[in-house]
Amino acid sequence: MKDIGVGLIGTGFMGKCHALAWRSVGGVFAEAGRPRLVHLGEANAELARTRAAEFGFEKASGDWRAVIEDPGVDVVSLTTPNKFHAEMATAALEAGKHLWCEKPMAPTFAEAEAMAAAARKAGTVAILGYNYIQSPAIRQIGALLAEGRIGTLNHLRIEMDEDFMADPHAPFGWRHDAASGYGALDDFAVHPLSLIAVLFGRVARVVCDMAKPHAERITASGEARAVETWDIASVLMRLESGLSATLQVNRAAWGRKGRICVQIFGSEGTILFDQERFNEFQLYLTSDRPEEQGFRTVLIGPQHQPYSSFVPAPGHGLGFNDLKIIECRELIARIGGDIGARLIGFDEGLEIERTVHAMARSHQEGGWVDVR
Amino acid sequence: MKDIGVGLIGTGFMGKCHALAWRSVGGVFAEAGRPRLVHLGEANAELARTRAAEFGFEKASGDWRAVIEDPGVDVVSLTTPNKFHAEMATAALEAGKHLWCEKPMAPTFAEAEAMAAAARKAGTVAILGYNYIQSPAIRQIGALLAEGRIGTLNHLRIEMDEDFMADPHAPFGWRHDAASGYGALDDFAVHPLSLIAVLFGRVARVVCDMAKPHAERITASGEARAVETWDIASVLMRLESGLSATLQVNRAAWGRKGRICVQIFGSEGTILFDQERFNEFQLYLTSDRPEEQGFRTVLIGPQHQPYSSFVPAPGHGLGFNDLKIIECRELIARIGGDIGARLIGFDEGLEIERTVHAMARSHQEGGWVDVR
Amino acid sequence: MKDIGVGLIGTGFMGKCHALAWRSVGGVFAEAGRPRLVHLGEANAELARTRAAEFGFEKASGDWRAVIEDPGVDVVSLTTPNKFHAEMATAALEAGKHLWCEKPMAPTFAEAEAMAAAARKAGTVAILGYNYIQSPAIRQIGALLAEGRIGTLNHLRIEMDEDFMADPHAPFGWRHDAASGYGALDDFAVHPLSLIAVLFGRVARVVCDMAKPHAERITASGEARAVETWDIASVLMRLESGLSATLQVNRAAWGRKGRICVQIFGSEGTILFDQERFNEFQLYLTSDRPEEQGFRTVLIGPQHQPYSSFVPAPGHGLGFNDLKIIECRELIARIGGDIGARLIGFDEGLEIERTVHAMARSHQEGGWVDVR
Amino acid sequence: MKDIGVGLIGTGFMGKCHALAWRSVGGVFAEAGRPRLVHLGEANAELARTRAAEFGFEKASGDWRAVIEDPGVDVVSLTTPNKFHAEMATAALEAGKHLWCEKPMAPTFAEAEAMAAAARKAGTVAILGYNYIQSPAIRQIGALLAEGRIGTLNHLRIEMDEDFMADPHAPFGWRHDAASGYGALDDFAVHPLSLIAVLFGRVARVVCDMAKPHAERITASGEARAVETWDIASVLMRLESGLSATLQVNRAAWGRKGRICVQIFGSEGTILFDQERFNEFQLYLTSDRPEEQGFRTVLIGPQHQPYSSFVPAPGHGLGFNDLKIIECRELIARIGGDIGARLIGFDEGLEIERTVHAMARSHQEGGWVDVR
């Protein structure tokens, strides 16, 4: 395979994260080849040039279309705010590019559907940046579930909490505007749903209740404005498999910085995971001697793939940016024809969005709602 | 106050626990006086005599009515299975006794209502054994909430998990029979609801989903029988205060031995608690310096009442039985006229039962249900 | 066996703890019979009467000799400050009583030797209150070591930390006076040494370094006085078995409330324990599958003796006072002839004191010291 | 500053780690410029070419001298086994290159001294790869200590444990040969000593005891051979400041994967840290309200430098390789003239080696030893 040519649109949190992944992936994973950082697009030419210099891209443009049309670009990393996704993603796909689009897909389900349709039509690889599915711990958990290590599953709980919307004195911002979506559902719930998609399958039915910790906030002009989005959502779910599950998200949870707490209960054991300590997971097995049964805290190491590509010795710990490097490796593998690569494609991503919209509908209608 | 005369009916797990509390309470708390262990009732005279000797009661009877009618008995500890509660409690109250009844009140709401009515009519002290509300940590949490230490509350989550119903190979027992109630709701949900009653007030609305981890179990006669109760229940709630909350219980949760995990989110901080480590709680405060903010693990000590009556030095830890001693002290105080004693009376207990039945109704009906 | 008659001398922290144990032991352990609380001695008659009423003793005296000479007293609980131990213990033993003496034995080694000699001569049961050896977790750890569950031991570390001497502004007290002993060695080191005695055997050689966090403190008369005791001691040790070990104690360790942290390394696993969470221990086994190896947190339950005498269900937790109840049960068993009861007798206690004095000698002399 | 030209010698664990750092540093830290990966040296030309392709170096040589003599190389990353350090480091320094040498310096103190002398003579920047000093948590701890946040220090404990030498069945290897050094002292103790150097200053006196968990191991030829190195070392120390401290290392500690546990006790608080969870640290402050005092678990985030250069949001976690990127940034800053960059230079490194040799001498001689 020839070395892949990379275009990057957007250079915020996720833009930098993609750039770092593209720079490192070949050093970490020899099989990933040597991607070329070809063309970077930003809102204006000057910013584009600055970032291109920092991130090591060859070319820079103030017009994202130049990136998409660049014949040297094979794959586009799309990391702009999600209201721009539909237009840019569709254009990139129509230009025959592979696409690595940050989550979530788009504010409306119709836009997300259009994006998925465009991907199907283009036939290129189009994936979403659900990086939490990439960690060695989550992979190991997947392997344990596939093996039936904790028996038949009987219940699942997932919580995702952060505190960036917790401060009552923070001003009114775009995330408080209904135009940004529902709130925590768009921001957070999609992440746990990506784990559910990979580990447990589709969601069938939901009942959801949302809450607003802060009824109003002060705008830049000094007036109080009603907050239109919900920072808290709690959901009861049934999966298509019949598994009973709950999902709870709170972006106003003081003290929580990046928690995604997963509890999986089975007939022969229990698995626990928390993204705040994603280099560990916990496992309880009934096959242990009775007087020794307890939750093992398993530290990720070389026996959990693909940890050893980063560090050969155990206990050294991966970082968040390393998850994006793994995702990048999977993307390159998929582009190279590996259909087993671990990724959330546009069709799977569309299912996640469908579920989120069903949750919001349940809140509005006040009862159980079928996802499909 | 004269030293109180104690009758005990039932000598299982909770019966022994009551007996130990009555023996110790005066030694731990000087103000509790010297209760006399007067009369013990069991299913037959021989067992009653054996247990009376072990537990230190003066008299023993194979007929519970003898205990209730004993003029030397001022207060009755009622610790029989809950299907006997209504008859025995009503008789004790009609005999003018104070009553310390184990939770939950009774299998049906009608019986519970009758018990509460009998208590109101008797005018004696009638309380339920919700001992988890007694721990120093929960008291301290209550004090912090009352002070507004974590600001305005915006969300509450409670989970209660044990694993005594997790084994798929365990035989069909009385807890699998619908006659015992709903399952985890009766067994477990009442405990978190007692914490909610003490700390947050009444529940207004609920939506509940229950699950059966094991569809059938083998009876003593070797046949498979359908399990009629639910070991798992998940609930979305709104309290009368408007607070959004969730409650999740699972008595088939391998590895969980006595977990009651509480997460309280406020506008200026967060409080965490887990009954499995009930000598600790966790507190996050936004008033800490930004670079030092984190969850404090506070170990219970003499500064948290009534720890110092047990041990004068910090870090030594209370045990479960000590919670019952505290409850006993509160009961004696209430009998002595202290209306501020920390207890769940029959009327508050009835509210808990009402909420549990509303949850079950929601599961059956498939949607939100008002508690009242 | 006839019910044992109990005398108690001293009613401070440990005096109350003994009294509670004597009151409860028969209720918790049916085999312990029904000890009678016969005679309580305190510094004056009035205090003695008050405490006797609170703790439930039949008689009260302002003279401790009256307790010792009381023919109704079979066993004496001796809980006065340790400078009184030698005289009182010797008298009690000479009076033919069994003796339950709080640790440590005495300020000087000569006194401790005299006490041990008196015990040998009396032939009654004479034990020391090293209650930390009694917890179910420590018993289970002992069983695991005896079984060779973690293979051949290669290293041991013990730390004991509290913070009651940490405050630099606290006034000069008796514990700062050289007459009280060395400091943390007497106060703390004896506890870890009791665990070593029970689990690992005798100490052969030590090298010790001590430190004073606060050079001087203010006396009641407002003057600065040099602190004469050491709050911190660090020790390298070799046991008679050849095992290399370290012992570290600090009674000026802010935040530590009752920590006794034990780390036991073997050729096939590791065991960890911390008294601050003494209802748990941790176990790592190389026999686990490689991708699942981790420290199990084992919660104490009915499968760990003698937990189930307190509570039949797991996860409920014992408290510090419960350890004293277990110790009391062991003492009663020993008095009844059970030579396998788990106790530190006066001869074993003397070895602990010998080791402590060797540590102090090492600090003074500046090098390795043989214990014997 | 012109973009720096990089040479790399050695491509094992640390070689790859250096390569990844050089690739990423400019993307993470804009101020680090764009280092050019110029020349890679390995044991033979073919391996060098393969690795150069993987890691992205322009040139490859089977002779390390070619790297050192390359005029395009400004700085040499030296990651070969430490027995080669003295020769290669001296040559690189004599060639006028800056040098980033992995720790420890060399097997003998004489070689280390020669290296330090060569660095002084060359006048270029010569540093050692003590990356654990670079983490945001350790920086924050340093800031807290500098501020006196926990008052006057009274004691320090450090432990470093891993388990890669714990398996009794592993064959005899080079690390068991006395030619490799003392054992855990060289391998591990140097890391804690680097933390001590940065946070607390120099060590004055030590007493050390070492142990061999496994007396002999099987060689490749199937014979038992005596193990010549010590996997366990325990040390009492006094720093030049007078602070009492202990250091314990064990590379045969089953279950420990990368533990470096630090306990710092002060007159107004305590700080705890463990490298296995290096995205956190714990802080106890006496200035907290008494009923709220407890160890805070502080999760590293944007308020702890230089976290935000990796991720703008808290709770996402850095990985081990990120520490090397930070070290690389510091090195570039030092080369650029920033004398405040956080690094262990050859002179500071020599002090660490001097302390290690003093420890070994103490073990041999059996008593306290002055480091200088």
Side-chain angles (χ1 to χ4, degrees):
Chain A
M1 185 170 98
K2 86 168 177 62
D3 290 327
I4 207 164
V6 178
L8 171 66
I9 304 176
T11 61
F13 181 175
M14 278 299 128
K16 182 171 180 174
C17 191
H18 278 234
L20 289 172
W22 284 116
R23 285 168 73 115
S24 295
V25 66
V28 174
F29 298 103
E31 70 271 25
R34 304 182 65 175
R36 287 179 304 109
L37 280 59
V38 173
H39 205 145
L40 180 149
E42 250 300 348
N44 63 66
E46 190 182 336
L47 180 58
R49 273 193 302 274
T50 303
R51 290 284 176 268
E54 283 173 22
F55 296 169
F57 278 78
E58 299 165 9
K59 288 184 264 181
S61 296
D63 176 6
W64 59 270
R65 292 193 183 273
V67 176
I68 281 171
E69 290 159 9
D70 188 325
V73 168
D74 302 302
V75 56
V76 174
S77 271
L78 182 56
T79 70
T80 53
N82 72 335
K83 64 180 173 181
F84 300 119
H85 283 183
E87 182 185 12
M88 294 178 178
T90 305
L93 291 164
E94 287 175 351
K97 307 300 187 189
H98 303 296
L99 186 60
W100 187 8
C101 180
E102 268 312 304
K103 46 65 46 184
M105 294 178 85
T108 71
F109 188 67
E111 287 170 299
E113 276 187 312
M115 288 166 71
R120 258 172 268 139
K121 187 171 167 201
T124 56
V125 174
I127 63 131
L128 292 156
Y130 284 109
N131 36 262
Y132 294 122
I133 66 170
Q134 301 296 348
S135 75
I138 293 293
R139 277 165 193 250
Q140 181 63 39
I141 290 170
L144 291 169
L145 295 177
E147 181 196 348
R149 187 69 171 148
I150 60 165
T152 307
L153 303 189
N154 60 52
H155 195 52
L156 167 69
R157 295 182 192 147
I158 309 192
E159 295 162 89
M160 181 167 179
D161 299 323
E162 297 189 16
D163 64 3
F164 66 92
M165 301 294 275
D167 186 353
H169 308 299
F172 191 98
W174 67 269
R175 285 177 193 271
H176 305 113
D177 188 329
S180 72
Y182 307 113
L185 283 185
D186 315 74
D187 244 18
F188 278 14
V190 293
H191 279 300
L193 288 170
S194 75
L195 295 176
I196 291 176
V198 168
L199 297 176
F200 305 101
R202 287 189 177 171
V203 178
R205 307 172 62 230
V206 298
V207 59
C208 171
D209 187 33
M210 299 201 286
K212 290 179 190 172
H214 312 294
E216 51 188 32
R217 290 180 179 274
I218 305 300
T219 62
S221 55
E223 295 148 16
R225 179 171 161 188
V227 171
E228 297 162 358
T229 55
W230 286 268
D231 294 327
I232 295 170
S234 309
V235 188
L236 310 183
M237 303 189 295
R238 289 286 173 146
L239 305 197
E240 291 194 351
S241 67
L243 187 65
S244 82
T246 64
L247 170 62
Q248 299 178 90
V249 293
N250 186 355
R251 59 184 191 180
W254 275 123
R256 297 287 170 58
K257 305 301 178 183
R259 185 173 185 250
I260 305 177
C261 175
V262 183
Q263 304 180 55
I264 310 167
F265 301 104
S267 60
E268 296 170 28
T270 297
I271 294 171
L272 306 177
F273 172 79
D274 182 353
Q275 179 66 30
E276 276 187 5
R277 287 176 171 168
F278 73 89
N279 285 294
E280 321 173 355
F281 68 95
Q282 292 187 285
L283 175 65
Y284 184 98
L285 291 175
T286 61
S287 52
D288 286 345
R289 298 208 310 199
E291 68 275 22
E292 295 174 357
Q293 288 182 14
F295 282 97
R296 289 168 173 80
T297 299
V298 182
L299 216 53
I300 295 305
Q303 69 276 38
H304 307 101
Q305 285 316 308
Y307 175 97
S308 61
S309 295
F310 292 89
V311 190
H316 283 65
L318 302 191
F320 174 80
N321 287 341
D322 295 331
L323 301 183
K324 214 69 187 178
I325 296 174
I326 301 173
E327 190 176 62
C328 189
R329 193 268 308 252
E330 297 297 298
L331 170 59
I332 293 171
R334 175 74 62 86
I335 290 172
D338 176 4
I339 58 167
R342 185 182 186 87
L343 293 162
I344 302 277
F346 271 34
D347 279 333
E348 294 94 330
L350 188 64
E351 283 305 309
I352 291 173
E353 313 262 332
R354 190 192 308 279
T355 308
V356 159
H357 290 282
M359 290 172 179
R361 211 161 63 238
S362 162
H363 173 74
Q364 281 174 310
E365 298 176 0
W368 285 92
V369 159
D370 289 332
V371 173
R372 301 184 145 259
Chain B
M1 186 169 97
K2 86 167 178 60
D3 289 329
I4 207 164
V6 177
L8 171 67
I9 305 176
T11 61
F13 180 174
M14 277 298 127
K16 182 171 181 174
C17 191
H18 278 234
L20 289 172
W22 284 117
R23 286 168 72 115
S24 295
V25 66
V28 174
F29 298 102
E31 69 273 23
R34 303 182 65 176
R36 286 177 305 109
L37 280 58
V38 174
H39 205 145
L40 180 149
E42 248 302 345
N44 63 67
E46 191 183 335
L47 180 59
R49 273 194 301 275
T50 303
R51 288 284 175 268
E54 284 173 21
F55 296 170
F57 277 78
E58 299 165 9
K59 288 184 265 183
S61 296
D63 177 6
W64 60 270
R65 292 192 184 273
V67 176
I68 281 171
E69 289 159 10
D70 189 325
V73 167
D74 302 303
V75 56
V76 174
S77 270
L78 182 55
T79 70
T80 53
N82 73 334
K83 64 180 172 180
F84 300 119
H85 283 183
E87 181 184 12
M88 294 178 178
T90 305
L93 291 164
E94 287 176 350
K97 307 299 187 191
H98 303 296
L99 187 59
W100 186 8
C101 179
E102 269 311 306
K103 45 67 40 185
M105 294 178 84
T108 70
F109 188 67
E111 289 171 299
E113 276 187 313
M115 289 167 71
R120 259 171 267 139
K121 188 171 168 201
T124 55
V125 174
I127 63 131
L128 292 156
Y130 283 110
N131 37 262
Y132 293 122
I133 66 170
Q134 301 296 346
S135 75
I138 293 294
R139 278 166 192 252
Q140 181 63 41
I141 290 169
L144 291 169
L145 295 176
E147 179 195 350
R149 187 69 171 148
I150 60 165
T152 307
L153 303 189
N154 60 51
H155 196 51
L156 167 69
R157 295 181 191 149
I158 308 193
E159 296 162 88
M160 180 166 180
D161 299 323
E162 296 189 17
D163 63 4
F164 66 92
M165 301 295 274
D167 186 354
H169 307 299
F172 191 99
W174 66 268
R175 285 178 194 271
H176 306 113
D177 189 328
S180 72
Y182 307 114
L185 283 185
D186 315 75
D187 245 17
F188 279 13
V190 292
H191 280 300
L193 287 171
S194 75
L195 295 175
I196 291 176
V198 168
L199 298 176
F200 305 101
R202 287 188 176 170
V203 178
R205 308 172 62 229
V206 297
V207 60
C208 171
D209 187 34
M210 300 201 286
K212 291 178 190 173
H214 312 293
E216 51 187 33
R217 289 181 179 274
I218 305 300
T219 63
S221 57
E223 293 149 17
R225 179 172 162 190
V227 171
E228 298 162 357
T229 54
W230 287 267
D231 295 327
I232 296 170
S234 309
V235 188
L236 310 182
M237 302 191 295
R238 287 287 173 146
L239 304 196
E240 291 194 351
S241 67
L243 187 66
S244 83
T246 64
L247 170 62
Q248 299 177 89
V249 294
N250 186 355
R251 58 184 192 180
W254 276 122
R256 297 285 168 61
K257 305 301 179 183
R259 186 172 183 252
I260 305 177
C261 176
V262 183
Q263 304 180 56
I264 311 167
F265 301 103
S267 60
E268 297 170 27
T270 296
I271 294 172
L272 307 177
F273 172 79
D274 183 352
Q275 178 67 29
E276 276 186 6
R277 287 175 171 168
F278 74 88
N279 286 293
E280 319 173 356
F281 69 94
Q282 291 187 285
L283 175 65
Y284 184 98
L285 292 175
T286 60
S287 52
D288 286 346
R289 299 206 310 198
E291 67 275 24
E292 295 175 357
Q293 288 183 14
F295 282 97
R296 289 167 172 80
T297 299
V298 182
L299 217 53
I300 295 304
Q303 69 278 38
H304 306 101
Q305 286 316 309
Y307 175 97
S308 61
S309 295
F310 292 89
V311 190
H316 283 65
L318 301 190
F320 175 80
N321 287 340
D322 295 331
L323 300 184
K324 214 70 187 177
I325 296 174
I326 302 173
E327 191 176 61
C328 189
R329 193 267 308 251
E330 297 295 299
L331 171 58
I332 292 170
R334 175 74 63 86
I335 290 171
D338 177 4
I339 58 167
R342 185 184 187 85
L343 292 162
I344 301 277
F346 271 34
D347 279 335
E348 293 94 330
L350 188 63
E351 283 306 309
I352 291 173
E353 311 263 331
R354 192 192 307 279
T355 309
V356 159
H357 290 281
M359 289 171 180
R361 212 159 64 239
S362 162
H363 174 75
Q364 281 175 312
E365 298 176 0
W368 284 92
V369 160
D370 290 332
V371 173
R372 301 184 145 258
Chain C
M1 183 170 100
K2 85 167 179 62
D3 290 328
I4 206 164
V6 178
L8 171 66
I9 304 176
T11 61
F13 180 174
M14 276 299 127
K16 182 170 180 174
C17 191
H18 278 235
L20 290 171
W22 284 116
R23 285 169 72 115
S24 295
V25 66
V28 174
F29 298 102
E31 70 272 24
R34 305 182 65 176
R36 287 179 304 110
L37 280 58
V38 174
H39 206 144
L40 180 150
E42 249 301 346
N44 63 66
E46 191 183 335
L47 180 59
R49 273 194 302 274
T50 303
R51 289 283 175 270
E54 284 174 22
F55 296 170
F57 278 77
E58 299 164 10
K59 287 184 266 182
S61 295
D63 177 5
W64 59 270
R65 291 191 185 274
V67 176
I68 281 171
E69 289 159 10
D70 188 325
V73 167
D74 301 304
V75 57
V76 174
S77 270
L78 182 55
T79 71
T80 53
N82 72 335
K83 64 180 171 179
F84 300 118
H85 284 183
E87 182 185 10
M88 294 178 178
T90 306
L93 292 164
E94 287 176 352
K97 307 300 187 190
H98 303 295
L99 187 59
W100 186 8
C101 179
E102 268 311 305
K103 47 65 41 184
M105 294 179 83
T108 71
F109 187 66
E111 288 171 299
E113 276 187 312
M115 289 168 70
R120 259 171 268 139
K121 189 172 167 199
T124 55
V125 173
I127 63 131
L128 292 157
Y130 284 110
N131 37 263
Y132 293 122
I133 67 170
Q134 301 295 346
S135 75
I138 293 294
R139 277 165 194 252
Q140 182 62 41
I141 290 169
L144 291 169
L145 295 176
E147 180 195 351
R149 187 70 170 149
I150 60 165
T152 306
L153 302 189
N154 60 52
H155 196 52
L156 167 69
R157 294 182 192 148
I158 307 193
E159 296 162 88
M160 180 167 181
D161 298 324
E162 297 190 16
D163 63 5
F164 66 92
M165 301 295 275
D167 186 352
H169 307 300
F172 191 98
W174 67 269
R175 285 177 194 271
H176 306 112
D177 189 328
S180 72
Y182 308 113
L185 282 185
D186 315 75
D187 245 18
F188 278 14
V190 294
H191 280 300
L193 288 171
S194 75
L195 296 175
I196 291 176
V198 168
L199 298 175
F200 305 100
R202 287 187 177 171
V203 178
R205 306 173 64 229
V206 297
V207 59
C208 171
D209 187 34
M210 301 201 286
K212 290 178 189 171
H214 312 294
E216 51 187 34
R217 288 180 180 274
I218 306 300
T219 62
S221 56
E223 293 149 17
R225 180 172 163 190
V227 171
E228 297 162 357
T229 54
W230 287 268
D231 295 327
I232 295 171
S234 309
V235 188
L236 310 183
M237 301 190 296
R238 288 286 174 148
L239 304 197
E240 291 194 350
S241 67
L243 186 66
S244 82
T246 64
L247 170 62
Q248 299 177 90
V249 294
N250 186 354
R251 58 182 192 181
W254 276 123
R256 296 285 168 62
K257 306 301 180 183
R259 185 173 185 250
I260 306 178
C261 175
V262 183
Q263 304 181 55
I264 311 167
F265 301 103
S267 60
E268 296 171 28
T270 297
I271 294 172
L272 307 177
F273 173 79
D274 182 354
Q275 178 66 29
E276 277 186 7
R277 288 176 170 168
F278 74 89
N279 286 294
E280 322 173 353
F281 68 95
Q282 291 188 285
L283 175 64
Y284 184 97
L285 292 175
T286 60
S287 52
D288 286 346
R289 299 207 310 198
E291 68 275 23
E292 295 174 358
Q293 288 183 14
F295 281 96
R296 291 167 171 80
T297 299
V298 182
L299 217 53
I300 295 304
Q303 70 278 37
H304 307 101
Q305 284 318 307
Y307 175 97
S308 61
S309 294
F310 292 89
V311 190
H316 283 65
L318 301 191
F320 174 81
N321 287 341
D322 295 332
L323 300 183
K324 214 69 187 177
I325 296 174
I326 301 173
E327 191 177 60
C328 189
R329 193 268 308 251
E330 297 296 298
L331 170 59
I332 292 170
R334 175 74 63 86
I335 290 171
D338 177 4
I339 57 167
R342 184 185 188 84
L343 292 162
I344 301 277
F346 271 34
D347 280 335
E348 293 94 330
L350 188 63
E351 283 305 310
I352 291 173
E353 311 263 332
R354 192 192 307 278
T355 309
V356 159
H357 290 283
M359 289 171 180
R361 212 161 62 240
S362 162
H363 174 75
Q364 282 175 310
E365 299 176 359
W368 285 91
V369 159
D370 289 333
V371 173
R372 299 182 146 260
Chain D
M1 184 171 98
K2 85 167 178 64
D3 290 328
I4 206 165
V6 177
L8 171 67
I9 304 177
T11 60
F13 180 174
M14 278 299 128
K16 182 170 181 176
C17 191
H18 278 234
L20 289 172
W22 285 116
R23 286 168 73 115
S24 295
V25 66
V28 175
F29 298 102
E31 70 272 24
R34 305 182 65 177
R36 286 177 305 109
L37 281 57
V38 173
H39 205 145
L40 180 149
E42 250 300 347
N44 63 67
E46 190 183 335
L47 180 58
R49 272 193 302 274
T50 303
R51 290 285 175 269
E54 283 174 23
F55 297 169
F57 278 76
E58 298 164 10
K59 287 184 264 180
S61 295
D63 177 5
W64 58 271
R65 292 192 183 273
V67 175
I68 281 171
E69 290 159 8
D70 189 325
V73 168
D74 301 302
V75 56
V76 173
S77 272
L78 182 56
T79 71
T80 53
N82 72 335
K83 64 180 172 181
F84 300 119
H85 283 183
E87 182 185 11
M88 294 178 177
T90 305
L93 291 164
E94 288 176 352
K97 307 301 187 190
H98 303 296
L99 186 60
W100 186 9
C101 180
E102 267 312 305
K103 47 64 42 185
M105 294 178 84
T108 70
F109 188 66
E111 288 171 298
E113 276 187 313
M115 289 167 70
R120 257 171 272 144
K121 188 172 167 199
T124 55
V125 174
I127 63 131
L128 292 156
Y130 284 110
N131 36 262
Y132 293 122
I133 67 171
Q134 301 296 346
S135 75
I138 293 294
R139 278 165 192 251
Q140 181 63 40
I141 289 170
L144 290 169
L145 295 176
E147 180 195 349
R149 186 70 172 148
I150 61 165
T152 307
L153 302 190
N154 60 52
H155 196 52
L156 166 69
R157 294 181 191 148
I158 307 193
E159 295 162 270
M160 180 167 180
D161 299 323
E162 297 190 15
D163 64 4
F164 66 92
M165 301 295 275
D167 186 353
H169 307 299
F172 191 99
W174 66 269
R175 285 177 193 271
H176 305 113
D177 189 327
S180 72
Y182 307 113
L185 283 186
D186 315 75
D187 245 17
F188 279 14
V190 293
H191 279 299
L193 287 170
S194 75
L195 296 175
I196 290 176
V198 168
L199 297 176
F200 304 101
R202 285 188 179 172
V203 178
R205 306 172 63 230
V206 297
V207 59
C208 170
D209 187 33
M210 301 201 285
K212 290 179 191 173
H214 312 295
E216 51 187 35
R217 290 180 178 275
I218 306 301
T219 63
S221 56
E223 295 148 16
R225 180 171 162 190
V227 171
E228 297 163 357
T229 54
W230 286 269
D231 294 327
I232 296 171
S234 309
V235 188
L236 310 183
M237 302 190 296
R238 289 286 174 145
L239 304 197
E240 292 194 349
S241 67
L243 187 66
S244 82
T246 63
L247 170 62
Q248 299 177 91
V249 294
N250 186 355
R251 58 184 191 180
W254 275 123
R256 297 285 168 61
K257 305 302 179 183
R259 186 174 185 249
I260 305 177
C261 175
V262 183
Q263 305 180 54
I264 310 167
F265 301 104
S267 60
E268 296 170 28
T270 297
I271 294 172
L272 308 177
F273 172 79
D274 182 353
Q275 179 67 28
E276 276 186 5
R277 287 175 171 168
F278 73 89
N279 286 293
E280 321 173 355
F281 68 95
Q282 292 188 285
L283 175 66
Y284 184 97
L285 292 176
T286 60
S287 52
D288 285 347
R289 299 207 309 198
E291 69 275 23
E292 295 175 357
Q293 289 182 15
F295 282 97
R296 291 168 171 81
T297 300
V298 182
L299 216 53
I300 296 304
Q303 70 276 39
H304 307 101
Q305 285 317 309
Y307 176 96
S308 61
S309 295
F310 292 89
V311 190
H316 282 65
L318 301 191
F320 175 81
N321 286 342
D322 295 331
L323 300 183
K324 214 69 188 176
I325 296 174
I326 301 174
E327 191 176 61
C328 190
R329 193 269 308 249
E330 297 296 298
L331 170 59
I332 293 170
R334 175 73 63 85
I335 291 172
D338 176 6
I339 59 168
R342 185 183 187 86
L343 292 163
I344 302 277
F346 271 34
D347 280 333
E348 294 94 330
L350 188 64
E351 283 305 309
I352 291 173
E353 312 263 331
R354 191 192 308 278
T355 308
V356 160
H357 290 283
M359 289 171 179
R361 213 162 62 239
S362 162
H363 174 76
Q364 281 174 312
E365 298 175 1
W368 285 92
V369 159
D370 290 331
V371 172
R372 298 184 147 259

